[in-house]
Amino acid sequence: RKSVIRITTGSQALDELLGGGIETLQITEAFGEFRSGKTQIAHTLCVSTQLPVSMHGGNGKVAYIDTEGTFRPDRIVPIAERFGMDASAVLDNIIYARAYTYEHQYNLLLALAAKMSEEPFRLLIVDSVIALFRVDFSGRGELAERQQKLAQMLSRLTKIAEEFNVAVYMTNQVIADPGGGMFISDPKKPAGGHVLAHAATVRLMLRKGKGEQRVCKIFDAPNLPESEAVFQITPGGVAD
Ligand code: ATP
Ligand code: MG
């Protein structure tokens, strides 16, 4: 039986909210408005995953599927330095792929799974998991098919997490929630409906605070306390 590894986000407050960090064998979803920090968390995890377990890392490689073209290798350098790691070695251990269609995204997952059976990976990032689906199935009558294909992709992510003891970190978009009611000041909800809600083990709702501050709340977990974590986005990545 594989044992769970918890990987630090770079912020102690956020780690505590998560019960120690993002977990292998699970899917962690982050959603929130633009600039809320979803991609910056991904960049920080690219580095922290490579730390030894004794330093709250995962001692493993990272696979990064980018659907929006927002991965920045340059951004990895100061984050690696902040953690006292060699930036070029860290970059060498990030297997990066840009996906252009939902089918391409799925095929990349299959190829990465093959790689994971040969090398020790501890993190798979999909940023964003849903963007290409929203583009490729944008017609009104296409929602049912979109959800079916999305479910297929998510079940593949679950298999990868469990088979290779990998943490999956996926980002999601927010959409207007017409059912949110007139008493909710900012009626937004995560995209992807029930299919996405059921696939994610942990759902993180991010929002902007003052300046570089960000606020994270666990979404839709009735068994967890309604607590929030405040963190910062710094040149060295996510921090307290
Ligand atoms: P989107 O929905 O557009 O993808 P996102 O949630 O992925 O948004 P991020 O790209 O993670 O948002 O966050 C962008 C924010 O991170 C910037 O607005 C800035 O506040 C902060 N940021 C980015 N780079 C740095 C840096 N080098 N130093 C400090 N803060 C930074
Ligand atoms: Mg982003």
Side-chain angles (χ1 to χ4, degrees), residues 23-89:
E23 298 190 355
T24 60
L25 304 167
Q26 288 200 348
I27 299 184
T28 302
E29 170 198 351
F31 68 88
E33 59 184 323
F34 70 103
R35 291 188 183 162
S36 59
K38 304 178 294 290
T39 300
Q40 291 300 314
I41 292 174
H43 280 73
T44 306
L45 290 171
C46 276
V47 178
S48 64
T49 297
Q50 300 187 44
L51 287 167
V53 173
S54 61
M55 292 175 73
H56 309 290
N59 193 30
K61 299 190 183 209
V62 177
Y64 198 120
I65 297 181
D66 184 1
T67 71
E68 301 183 319
T70 53
F71 178 69
R72 295 285 175 275
D74 290 355
R75 189 70 190 92
I76 296 299
V77 176
I79 301 175
E81 284 165 0
R82 171 245 180 135
F83 283 102
M85 301 177 86
D86 178 62
S88 66

Side-chain angles (χ1 to χ4, degrees), residues 21-201:
I22 71 150
E23 298 190 355
T24 60
L25 304 167
Q26 288 200 348
I27 299 184
T28 302
E29 170 198 351
F31 68 88
E33 59 184 323
F34 70 103
R35 291 188 183 162
S36 59
K38 304 178 294 290
T39 300
Q40 291 300 314
I41 292 174
H43 280 73
T44 306
L45 290 171
C46 276
V47 178
S48 64
T49 297
Q50 300 187 44
L51 287 167
V53 173
S54 61
M55 292 175 73
H56 309 290
N59 193 30
K61 299 190 183 209
V62 177
Y64 198 120
I65 297 181
D66 184 1
T67 71
E68 301 183 319
T70 53
F71 178 69
R72 295 285 175 275
D74 290 355
R75 189 70 190 92
I76 296 299
V77 176
I79 301 175
E81 284 165 0
R82 171 245 180 135
F83 283 102
M85 301 177 86
D86 178 62
S88 66
V90 167
L91 281 166
D92 282 346
N93 285 325
I94 302 169
I95 310 307
Y96 171 86
R98 174 82 204 264
Y100 293 96
T101 67
Y102 84 92
E103 283 162 310
H104 187 200
Q105 187 176 335
Y106 189 78
N107 290 333
L108 285 171
L109 284 181
L110 300 183
L112 285 170
K115 243 186 164 16
M116 286 179 187
S117 63
E118 290 161 7
E119 297 165 49
F121 280 79
R122 281 292 164 266
L123 175 67
L124 168 60
I125 289 165
V126 187
D127 184 18
S128 101
V129 76
I130 201 159
L132 294 173
F133 288 85
R134 297 186 72 200
V135 174
D136 295 343
F137 301 95
S138 55
R140 268 201 154 263
E142 291 181 298
L143 190 60
E145 194 190 350
R146 184 193 90 174
Q147 290 304 87
Q148 189 208 330
K149 299 289 186 194
L150 183 62
Q152 242 171 50
M153 166 110 34
L154 292 165
S155 107
R156 179 61 56 179
L157 288 176
T158 302
K159 280 203 190 89
I160 288 176
E162 291 173 357
E163 187 173 353
F164 303 111
N165 197 6
V166 155
V168 173
Y169 172 81
M170 64 182 190
T171 68
N172 188 13
Q173 299 168 327
V174 285
I175 55 174
D177 180 11
M182 61 179 78
F183 303 112
I184 297 176
S185 58
D186 189 21
K188 298 245 176 75
K189 63 177 183 183
H194 294 296
V195 165
L196 200 55
H198 288 139
T201 327

